[in-house]
Amino acid sequence: MEAMRGGKFLQKFRLYETRSKFYLVGRDKSRTLWRVLKIDRLESTDLGIQEDPTSYTENECQELLWRIHEGNRLTGGLKFVTKCYGIIGFMKFLGPYYMVIITRRRKVGTICGHDIYSIGKSEMIAIPCPIVCPNVANSRDENRYKRLLCSVDLTKDFFFSYSYNIMRSLQKNINDKNTGHVVYETMFVWNEFLTRAMRNHLKNTDWTVALVHGFFKQSKLSVSGKDFWLTLIARRSRHFAGTRFMKRGVNEKGRVANDVETEQIVFEDTPDDIPSQITSVVQHRGSIPLVWFQETSRLNIRPEITLKSDVDYKATRLHFENLVLRYGNPIVILNLIKTREKKPRESLLRAEFAKAIHYINKGLPDDKRLKFLHMDLSKLSRRKGTNVLGLLNKVASDVLELTDLLHCEITISSKPLDASSGQGSCDIKINDDFCAATMVPLLLQKGVLRTNCIDCLDRTNVAQFAYGLAALGRQLHVLKLTEEPKIDLHDPLADDLMDFYERMGDTLAIQYGGSAAHNKIFCEQRGQWKAATQSQEFLRTLQRYYNNAYTDPEKQDAINVFLGHFQPQQGKPPLWKLDSDQHYNIGRQGTLSEETGSRFIKRSLSDGNILCENSAPVSDRNVGENNTASELLPSQQLDDIREPTDSAPEIYMCETNPCPSTKYSTMPGRHSISEERQSYLKRLGYPELHSSNFLDLDLLSSSGNSCDEEAFERKVLQTIMYRSSIIHSPLDGISVGSTTTYSEPGHNDEGRDDTDLSRSSSQLSDSRDYSDRFAQWVANGGMLCY
């Protein structure tokens, strides 16, 4: 928020009304500064706002309000409406403007003396007085739009600060001192659209609060008898935002679905809430940055994946360029999706993702190449004797060697210091007296770890916890709270951190997927009863399926209205009469051609929306003057994968770019790969897997792919069919397949010869072997698979 005169911030407000105007009186926390904002109530369709430039004392402000009351006595005088704590924004549907305000707040944490709040209660107030409201103000469509906006629950998972730019990471706040409009236009301010008209008119942000959506938790913990504060923040991007099957992949502007920045802040507990040192680590999660999507289906828990071609991987390239601008180099990609499936789904995206990274890296200098790691977390979690969290923690530790973390020293002075006096210094305002504190970085984070699975929810959250645990060990070490920069997985502190990430994972999963996260690995780490865990996972799968199929369309509509991606207009079809997010192209009755209608899904007009029109085959497109498509990673046409089978669903694919072959050097001592396995990977578009920086744990075992998930889905659908038959509303057309009963996870691994697995596990734990490969991977980029 933009600082006011003398470093004061308006934090508490009182709203008054006369017949012709609203008067919003705001004051700072210390009650030394009072300001007045006037809002015209006689204008029926436009927003008339005027800011009184005078700064008042409390007595002067009371005198002003008395004079306003006396001047309007004949029309009812000045009336008190409500107290509030900031303006969320203004919204217009088909009639008048509405003002959304915070009427109750809760303090949820403090960062260097800056209070962080969540919303306890909000209220939407019509601006015009009743006598000037047009008839449309009470129309059925207007009321429906209001209900749609109110369905966005601002009391859940939204947070803000008056004096601290919570929408940016700590390192960003130190290095970038922009305030006001600039911070509102960042990707993490969800009410940017709602505040836009007011900010543009007043040229300041004194009256509004910038809302961040995601997760915030802060608690005091202890290590070695010393107390410290741990803060975990997740910031969801407003670009390409939405629900699970409505938002997938990347749009043409490089914005990915479910884009979340996670920041872990640690500082020592002090009596005055001003630590002498503070550390921060940032990591990122986001959808696989390819042009792909899934059709919302009430008949299938896992709808078919549609992968569209992206010439020269332009959208993917834009996404990683944006990550570099946000975090610098290196960008480390941890991909957790499956390698092998009976019904190719995730493996298709893995193959295309690998080709995209390889293609992009060919145009980058060696020191800026994307670093790609792959772990089939689903497969690893089913293997006996494999410590998934331990392996992830080791990967995280080595990635931290590349990216490092932010470590700042904080000094207090009686007056702000010149920022030019020290590189990276930053003057911030803290405490009620707004003393100046200078934060000087001793270490800076460079680059970021980007983690994804298919939904960026369950597996991703486990990996982010492992990275957070490795980072916490180093954060406590640089703060001199521990002697060793490592925390054991069985340490009580690891359990505390797991609770943080489990709660964050549940929150983000509900926002994007409709249910709490699947925390099987966390439950196993705690030693919880296996049957209880399976029951919990089943119920969450059922809840997620129901929300995705039945409630997500309206939830997506509400998000689009809140973010301004859809703006109602007189004479245009209302939102609920349009078939989908793709309002420009699709009507509810279906205006698409017969050739493409069945392949479209509900998509949004959000920033950089992908128009779901049939793309010409790659061979018919102009690839570019340099014919860069001929330099892609070797692969065959993905049509080879879609061989007709009895069990595999139809998967819509666009043609991929033809690629020449590339040879990789072999490495002695590698495990042999079966011809059948190698042939399968070739068809997925992978290079020869003999490179010394490409190792896949799946290749170390000849076991088949588990069918647990398929049986699990069948059980969910059977439950849905049973419940549907009870309420006399059958879901026609559901195909359950065979009558295979639900099997316990990992049951097909029982009785298998684990000799090779134990030997593989010991080889993986060899630090020298891993470090050599890791060093080569660091130097050359490319792919490193586990």
Side-chain angles (χ1 to χ4, degrees), residues 9-10 45 50 155 165 307 368 387 427 570 578 612 778:
F9 300 88
L10 299 181
T45 57
Q50 181 180 358
T155 65
N165 290 327
L307 177 62
K368 295 182 179 179
N387 188 342
D427 296 332
Q570 289 284 1
L578 299 175
C612 297
V778 169

Side-chain angles (χ1 to χ4, degrees), residues 36-103:
V36 178
L37 184 72
K38 306 173 186 178
I39 305 174
D40 189 1
R41 300 189 66 199
L42 299 179
E43 180 58 56
S44 61
T45 57
D46 293 333
L47 184 62
I49 301 179
Q50 181 180 358
E51 183 181 31
D52 189 336
T54 306
S55 296
Y56 297 95
T57 64
E58 184 172 4
N59 291 335
E60 291 171 343
C61 189
Q62 291 178 354
E63 178 67 23
L64 174 64
L65 294 176
W66 174 254
R67 292 200 303 268
I68 294 174
H69 174 71
E70 289 295 315
N72 291 272
R73 186 179 291 275
L74 295 179
T75 57
L78 183 70
K79 300 177 182 178
F80 172 74
V81 178
T82 183
K83 64 179 181 179
C84 60
Y85 298 94
I87 298 176
I88 294 174
F90 292 85
M91 172 59 77
K92 185 182 188 303
F93 304 116
L94 301 174
Y97 269 94
Y98 299 89
M99 178 171 59
V100 185
I101 58 177
I102 300 171
T103 56

Side-chain angles (χ1 to χ4, degrees), residues 129-147:
C129 62
I131 61 173
V132 299
C133 283
N135 295 332
V136 71
N138 296 315
S139 68
R140 179 180 299 178
D141 287 353
E142 181 78 2
N143 289 330
R144 188 164 179 177
Y145 277 122
K146 288 193 290 184
R147 289 195 301 269

Side-chain angles (χ1 to χ4, degrees), residues 107 110-114 229 267-275 431:
K107 182 178 176 180
T110 303
I111 300 178
C112 293
H114 298 271
W229 287 94
F267 55 89
E268 190 174 6
D269 181 45
T270 55
D272 55 0
D273 293 334
I274 307 174
N431 292 339

Side-chain angles (χ1 to χ4, degrees), residues 248 386 466 528 673 682 726:
R248 290 298 219 191
T386 301
Q528 295 180 5
I673 305 172
K682 277 187 177 181
I726 292 178

